[in-house]
Amino acid sequence: MKTLSASEISNALEPYGASIEPATADKIRAYIALLLKWNRSISLTTVTDPAEIIKFHFGESVFAVSALKFTESRLADVGTGAGFPGLPLALAVPGLDVTLIESNTKKCAFLSEVIRELDISNATVFRGRMEEFPSVSANFDFIAARALGRFDDLLKWSRAHLAPGGKVVLWLGDDDARELSRAPGWTCDKPILIPGSIRRYLLMGSPGSGPAFR
């Protein structure tokens, strides 16, 4: 399978508004190698072409950087799975403190190896469900989810764990984006179409007035 060069990685991420240094591109290449290696024994991704991994996993993840000011912030990635969007965001924004929340033990082992091998000092792994995350560790500036699906539970949890002025950031299909943009008790921005996608959107929202999400 072809190994992508640093320039190929950088060029592939440009449409998503990402400017990647060669050292970061090297880490992304190493991440992909680990992802494909572990994917042979545990289910991490159905996308196995490195060029498509760059676009679908890394590009979609770092697209959020162009829409939000992540510098010197705390972000929780709920149900992170193989580390998306949390680890690409940690690589793209060194000042971002990322907590990866994942209940699957084997996936947590994979995430820990990626963090160790790539020396990602601004990311940590919490093994457990979001409901098990210590309440004393609240006050995230951003709570992100890309493939969780449990939107009602996520928004309830987020209301208790967001710092004042914090935002939930979701990667969604168009139907879910339209439905959640009308969620009671939340103020949402207009969904943003992800580059290269037909029906994938980035949706951001904050707790607002009115009843909590049902």
Side-chain angles (χ1 to χ4, degrees):
M1 188 170 291
K2 179 183 177 182
T3 299
L4 299 176
S5 68
S7 62
E8 286 175 322
I9 291 172
S10 297
N11 290 339
L13 292 176
E14 280 184 2
Y16 301 91
S19 178
I20 299 297
E21 298 292 332
T24 302
D26 289 340
K27 290 190 175 185
I28 291 174
R29 184 167 51 245
Y31 191 158
I32 292 172
L34 286 170
L35 177 66
L36 294 176
K37 175 184 174 182
W38 279 69
N39 201 52
R40 291 194 289 267
S41 56
I42 64 173
S43 178
L44 293 171
T45 180
T46 59
V47 183
T48 57
D49 180 351
E52 293 302 310
I53 289 173
I54 288 292
K55 292 186 288 185
F56 182 67
H57 288 314
F58 288 89
E60 283 202 2
S61 296
V62 299
F63 176 59
V65 177
S66 64
L68 294 163
K69 295 180 180 179
F70 283 123
T71 306
E72 304 298 328
S73 302
R74 294 188 66 205
L75 179 143
D77 180 6
V78 180
T80 186
F84 305 107
L87 287 181
L89 290 173
L91 288 171
V93 187
L96 183 63
D97 182 2
V98 175
T99 299
L100 306 169
I101 300 177
E102 174 57 49
S103 60
N104 184 287
T105 300
K106 292 182 179 179
K107 290 179 180 179
C108 286
F110 165 74
L111 295 169
S112 296
E113 178 164 333
V114 172
I115 290 171
R116 181 175 61 254
E117 291 294 323
L118 275 60
D119 191 24
I120 306 176
S121 60
N122 58 327
T124 57
V125 179
F126 173 80
R127 183 171 62 83
R129 296 178 295 110
M130 61 182 170
E131 296 87 352
E132 298 169 331
F133 193 81
S135 58
V136 294
S137 301
N139 298 323
F140 289 105
D141 301 293
F142 302 97
I143 293 176
R146 186 164 173 261
L148 186 66
R150 298 166 50 199
F151 301 123
D152 52 349
D153 294 337
L154 175 66
L155 292 184
K156 287 179 181 178
W157 185 84
S158 297
R159 185 175 287 274
H161 288 80
L162 277 173
K167 286 181 175 288
V168 170
V169 188
L170 302 174
W171 285 251
L172 302 166
D174 57 351
D175 290 340
D176 286 331
R178 282 196 297 268
E179 179 181 351
L180 283 174
S181 65
R182 300 189 294 268
W186 288 81
T187 300
C188 294
D189 300 335
K190 183 179 179 180
I192 304 172
L193 183 66
I194 295 172
S197 172
I198 299 174
R199 302 180 61 186
R200 292 278 293 167
Y201 289 84
L202 188 69
L203 179 67
M204 296 164 286
S206 302
S209 59
F213 189 78
R214 60 185 181 278

